[in-house]
Amino acid sequence: MAFDFNVILDNWALFARGTWLTIIIAVAAVAVGFLISIPIALMALSHRRTLRWIATAYVEWFRNIPFIVVLYLFFYGLPFFNLRLPEAIVGTIALAFFASSYFAEIIRGAILAVPKGQMEAARAIGMSYFQGLWEIVAPQTVRLLVPPSTNTSISMVKETSVLSTITVAELTYQGLVVQGETFAPFEVFLTTAAVYWVVTAIFAHFMHRAEKAFGAAQGAHQARTSLADKYLLIGARRPA
Amino acid sequence: MTKTLLKVSNLAKSFGGATALRDISFDVAAGEVVCIIGPSGCGKSTLLRCINHLTAPDSGFVEVAGSYIGRERKADGKLRMQSHREIDRMRPKMGFVFQQFNLWPHLSVLENIVKGPIKVQKRPRAEAEEQALALLQRFGLRDKAHMFPSSLSGGQKQRVAIARALAMGPELMLFDEPTSALDPEIVKEVLLFLRELADSGMTMVIVTHEIGFARHVADRVVFLDRGYVAEAGPSNDVLSNPTNPRLREFLSQITSDQPAAGKGSSPAAEQPIH
């Protein structure tokens, strides 16, 4: 048994096309999903019970169903309502909705993690709720959003493989095509796995750097905070 | 002679089953310093938050310089609830200084102060910064303008919080327990600072549990008990000759752990009853 590199070399164009489509779908679904999740998260935090209920139902619905079932519901459901779209678009939409339920929970948690007094101080000087959210709360959530969003985004990159079941020609689909032509499944899927790994690793690397950048920006003034405030600055002032 | 700047009438608020405020009425004249005192849990902070509508009262009215906030009594006597926008526009008329200051940690001291003028009042940045720097200069914090709140001491944070509120040009200032989040050593410094602010003509309502503080700073004292104004009047009268038995009890408990503030050394004998 020898690893047949020709399987890969002969079909590299298909792998490349599949990888490109995987990246595009993942980026689009994550971006759209994040945008959808913002109003969902705000509804979940609303003091109106109906809005909270809608947001909870939305999140619970998408989080408790396997993505493949969500995908089938969109794929077979949209034509049911006379809406016919290309598979790649349907798949991206389905993934965006699926991702939004996870992002909504991440955003909700991040907003809750910002002390209540921050918003109150914004309201006290006359800002509206949305102004306070945008000017004061949102900037403080970024640092809290990055690590969990990275995890969810990586999961979504991997979930794009499910789109192969509705014939979207992304990486896994191309792998299946090449396998069908070459009868070399091990070579094909080892290659596929490697490509997924590289894509997610590069993504994670950049997110990690973003995380550090935000951490450093905050750290510049926060590392000195509690410790220094308690033991250095005030301590030095006391004798005087 | 002096006009009423803040008018609180029949304010009530309860949370679920717990009633914080039952029926609160009092006036504050322009330039006056009023301390609201009372045992913990008597609704002092709730009252302050109801005044600027951070907490919406259940009933009653608050008027600032003749304008209602939140709940409005129309000419025909009917009640009208103001929109969020109307309330947002009223709030900065009252500078609110939080117990924990609630400075915005991601913004520099200067940005903390100019945020309101720029975003709420839509004033040009240059003008807002000039005003902020003048306030910092006045408060002895000019050199801290570009530092972040986390590198300031408690007293400095408080002054930045006051500057942030003053930058909006408020009619009066509301202070929630200004001394409780600070080291005891700097309470005197805060007291002098607030006294100075009062002397500049600023109207102030201060919630505090420090009687010594109230005695030194306040023109008038309002004693809250069980959701009512149990006693109110000039601070010397109220604190030296309390008529209300609950206030007398409250003062005797408080004064026992106060440093002898000039009067008799025995805490029990500190409040002679005439």
Side-chain angles (χ1 to χ4, degrees):
Chain A
M1 285 277 293
F3 193 93
D4 184 359
F5 281 101
N6 285 328
V7 171
I8 314 306
L9 295 174
D10 293 346
N11 297 290
W12 71 270
L14 287 178
F15 281 111
R17 248 185 285 159
T19 305
W20 183 235
L21 190 59
T22 289
I23 291 171
I24 288 178
I25 290 173
V27 168
V30 164
V32 174
F34 196 85
L35 284 180
I36 299 173
S37 71
I38 295 170
I40 302 294
L42 295 182
M43 281 164 73
L45 292 167
S46 166
H47 57 265
R48 288 203 191 134
R49 195 174 304 170
T50 32
L51 291 183
R52 275 206 313 271
W53 189 88
I54 293 170
T56 309
Y58 179 95
V59 168
E60 291 303 315
W61 165 256
F62 282 111
R63 277 206 317 183
N64 294 318
I65 298 176
F67 175 58
I68 192 164
V69 178
V70 172
L71 182 64
Y72 285 165
L73 282 172
F74 273 86
F75 186 62
Y76 296 112
L78 291 181
F80 192 81
F81 295 103
N82 267 325
L83 199 62
R84 282 168 210 286
L85 298 168
E87 308 84 62
I89 304 289
V90 175
T92 306
I93 293 172
L95 190 58
F97 277 102
F98 186 69
S100 72
S101 65
Y102 290 87
F103 284 130
E105 283 295 279
I106 292 170
I107 293 174
R108 189 176 70 96
I111 292 177
L112 284 176
V114 175
K116 236 176 106 189
Q118 293 290 307
M119 175 60 102
E120 287 183 345
R123 301 306 300 275
I125 61 157
M127 286 193 196
S128 67
Y129 173 74
F130 285 103
Q131 256 184 324
L133 210 54
W134 180 249
E135 298 286 344
I136 303 303
V137 177
Q140 297 185 56
T141 61
V142 174
R143 196 175 45 98
L144 303 165
L145 287 176
V146 174
S149 299
T150 305
N151 290 337
T152 299
S153 302
I154 287 173
S155 295
M156 294 310 136
V157 171
K158 292 183 291 184
E159 293 288 1
T160 56
S161 64
V162 177
L163 269 57
S164 62
T165 60
I166 60 165
T167 71
V168 175
E170 45 66 70
L171 182 57
T172 302
Y173 182 84
Q174 300 291 20
L176 288 164
V177 169
V178 175
Q179 188 241 164
E181 285 173 4
T182 59
F183 303 107
F186 183 65
E187 281 85 345
V188 165
F189 288 110
L190 196 63
T191 306
T192 309
V195 175
Y196 276 117
W197 186 86
V198 169
V199 169
T200 53
I202 290 173
F203 176 73
H205 173 76
F206 280 111
M207 290 300 267
H208 188 66
R209 281 183 42 175
E211 189 183 331
K212 271 173 124 177
F214 287 124
Q218 300 252 330
H221 55 89
Q222 287 199 335
R224 293 207 303 255
T225 63
S226 17
L227 273 181
D229 261 14
K230 252 184 207 137
Y231 301 110
L232 301 174
L233 298 174
I234 293 182
R237 275 158 29 94
R238 245 176 215 150
Chain B
M1 169 188 94
T2 49
K3 66 178 177 109
T4 300
L5 190 60
L6 173 70
K7 187 175 176 61
V8 175
S9 24
N10 309 110
L11 213 60
K13 176 72 190 176
S14 54
F15 298 97
T19 307
L21 309 173
R22 285 173 206 277
D23 184 4
I24 305 280
S25 301
F26 66 93
D27 292 352
V28 178
E32 208 179 15
V33 178
V34 173
C35 275
I36 298 172
I37 60 169
S40 53
C42 72
K44 299 189 296 280
S45 292
T46 303
L47 172 58
L48 208 62
R49 296 169 59 89
C50 280
I51 290 176
N52 86 336
H53 225 269
L54 273 179
T55 301
D58 298 334
S59 62
F61 298 93
V62 176
E63 286 165 79
V64 182
S67 316
Y68 287 102
I69 174 166
R71 303 164 56 83
E72 194 172 316
R73 199 185 339 232
K74 294 201 296 185
D76 58 5
K78 284 201 181 119
L79 173 73
R80 189 181 81 88
M81 304 300 269
Q82 291 179 350
S83 69
H84 289 296
R85 278 191 67 142
E86 288 173 278
I87 296 170
D88 290 343
R89 227 171 296 148
M90 281 300 293
R91 268 204 199 97
K93 293 191 179 191
M94 295 167 272
F96 198 104
V97 180
F98 294 87
Q99 194 172 350
Q100 303 294 335
F101 321 127
N102 297 352
L103 294 179
W104 299 312
H106 62 299
L107 300 175
S108 70
V109 164
L110 185 67
E111 286 302 314
N112 264 274
I113 301 172
V114 297
K115 204 77 179 168
I118 292 175
K119 296 294 172 185
V120 177
Q121 297 175 333
K122 314 285 182 203
R123 283 156 60 190
R125 169 167 281 272
E127 183 195 311
E129 282 187 358
E130 196 180 322
Q131 180 205 20
L133 290 172
L135 279 167
L136 288 173
Q137 182 82 47
R138 176 176 155 203
F139 293 173
L141 293 168
R142 178 63 186 76
D143 55 326
K144 308 284 184 196
H146 299 288
M147 293 178 103
F148 284 90
S150 50
S151 60
L152 302 181
S153 73
Q156 292 170 333
K157 282 181 191 166
Q158 184 173 57
R159 274 177 279 162
V160 173
I162 294 170
R164 178 172 69 179
L166 286 176
M168 298 297 289
E171 304 261 358
L172 73 152
M173 293 284 285
L174 307 173
F175 291 85
D176 190 6
E177 300 273 10
T179 55
S180 69
L182 300 172
D183 287 337
E185 296 98 292
I186 65 165
V187 166
K188 197 171 171 194
E189 184 188 318
V190 176
L191 192 140
L192 289 173
F193 182 75
L194 291 185
R195 194 60 258 176
E196 224 176 274
L197 199 60
D199 291 342
S200 74
M202 181 51 76
T203 311
M204 307 202 281
V205 178
I206 305 169
V207 159
T208 184
H209 58 260
E210 295 219 28
I211 301 308
F213 188 84
R215 201 190 299 276
H216 284 97
V217 167
D219 299 320
R220 278 198 310 130
V221 166
V222 172
F223 174 64
L224 289 196
D225 183 48
R226 298 172 187 173
Y228 294 102
V229 175
E231 190 156 345
S235 52
N236 269 333
D237 297 2
V238 171
L239 297 175
S240 306
N241 307 307
T243 53
N244 182 293
R246 297 274 300 175
L247 176 57
R248 235 178 280 169
E249 187 191 337
F250 173 68
L251 289 175
S252 70
Q253 279 167 7
I254 294 283
T255 43
S256 56
D257 51 31
Q258 289 262 311
K263 290 196 180 173
S265 52
S266 159
E270 214 218 309
Q271 303 292 340
I273 297 149
H274 297 268

